[in-house]
Amino acid sequence: MKKDVKKNRIKKYFIDAAKEILINEGVTNISVRKVGEATGYSYATIYNYFESLDHLLWYAGVDFIQDIIKIYESDFIKEKYTPEDIKQLLRKYIAYYFQNPNVFKFFFFYQTEEPPEVVKQEFVRPSLERIQIGILKNLAQQGIIEHEKVHIISSLIMNSVHGMLLMYFSGKRKITEQEIYSNAEEVVRFLLRQ
């Protein structure tokens, strides 16, 4: 039991160090040597906990998802929702990536090997979409939208937001932060007929 606690603690040191490097320097500047140096362990020790750098990065990705969930989860636990809740949810989600552009680039630009089975489930339905679908189902129960359209509306909202963020962070098309916020709200208004 004590051995598992120690192993999990050291594993968490590596994950936290990888996250810190990724946030500050970007995913292309991360290496097992840097992670080892940041934790005070030999880089070779990392391979006792992770099969590869990509394996470590998948765990860091799950941790980032948990960070994102914490930002907005408590604000969106209600009995009754309004379309404004979807807009607020998107504003917080978009703001997180503006504050952490290297996290967005990691999720959407960096190619990794296949994730380990233990973390694969975390990426099946991203955190924002789970909460968003819950809100949309509540709006459907109120008769604001049709039940059968919940998943397609959620998908359209997510694809729109991620598309705008991809344009912004790739620099391929000039779009401002403010335009992303207002366009996201316009998409919600259009899809929810508000």
Side-chain angles (χ1 to χ4, degrees):
M1 184 74 154
K2 273 187 174 181
K3 197 173 190 176
D4 285 343
V5 170
K6 182 180 179 186
K7 184 175 181 173
N8 287 335
R9 188 176 67 240
I10 293 170
K11 193 173 186 177
K12 183 74 171 133
Y13 289 154
F14 291 136
I15 293 168
D16 289 344
K19 285 174 62 183
E20 190 68 26
I21 295 166
L22 197 150
I23 287 169
N24 294 320
E25 300 178 36
V27 70
T28 56
N29 292 311
I30 197 167
S31 68
V32 287
R33 287 191 188 276
K34 279 188 179 179
V35 173
E37 288 170 11
T39 58
Y41 286 92
S42 160
Y43 78 90
T45 306
I46 293 170
Y47 294 107
N48 294 330
Y49 299 86
F50 304 97
E51 295 170 19
S52 65
L53 177 60
D54 276 0
H55 189 205
L56 168 58
L57 290 174
W58 277 108
Y59 276 90
V62 169
D63 237 42
F64 280 127
I65 287 173
Q66 294 308 314
D67 293 344
I68 294 168
I69 288 172
K70 287 175 196 167
I71 289 171
Y72 50 70
E73 188 173 49
S74 61
D75 293 339
F76 296 99
I77 300 173
K78 302 177 181 178
E79 285 186 34
K80 188 176 179 180
Y81 294 95
T82 68
E84 187 59 34
D85 290 311
I86 294 284
K87 294 175 195 172
Q88 287 179 14
L89 180 67
L90 290 176
R91 280 192 292 270
K92 286 188 176 219
Y93 183 72
I94 293 166
Y96 174 83
Y97 285 126
F98 284 144
Q99 293 163 5
N100 299 284
N102 286 329
V103 176
F104 184 86
K105 290 173 186 175
F106 166 60
F107 281 139
F108 293 93
F109 294 127
Y110 184 72
Q111 296 293 314
T112 59
E113 59 190 44
E114 192 68 20
E117 286 301 318
V118 293
V119 297
K120 203 177 253 187
Q121 285 304 100
E122 293 294 324
F123 289 90
V124 171
R125 182 154 310 277
S127 59
L128 172 76
E129 196 169 6
R130 283 190 293 231
I131 294 171
Q132 181 174 266
I133 285 174
I135 295 171
L136 290 170
K137 284 181 178 179
N138 185 276
L139 294 176
Q141 289 169 350
Q142 296 176 55
I144 295 172
I145 60 173
E146 297 171 33
H147 285 281
E148 58 275 4
K149 293 189 177 170
V150 164
H151 289 280
I152 190 67
I153 289 172
S154 179
S155 181
L156 289 169
I157 290 170
M158 293 311 302
N159 290 338
S160 296
V161 168
H162 289 145
M164 288 183 283
L165 289 169
L166 280 166
M167 286 187 290
Y168 178 84
F169 287 116
S170 72
K172 301 225 186 249
R173 180 168 168 240
K174 298 293 180 217
I175 185 168
T176 66
E177 290 181 23
Q178 190 51 49
E179 285 175 316
I180 292 174
Y181 285 117
S182 19
N183 290 347
E185 288 193 15
E186 188 61 35
V187 166
V188 171
R189 274 194 296 274
F190 176 78
L191 291 172
L192 301 184
R193 298 186 190 110
Q194 297 296 309

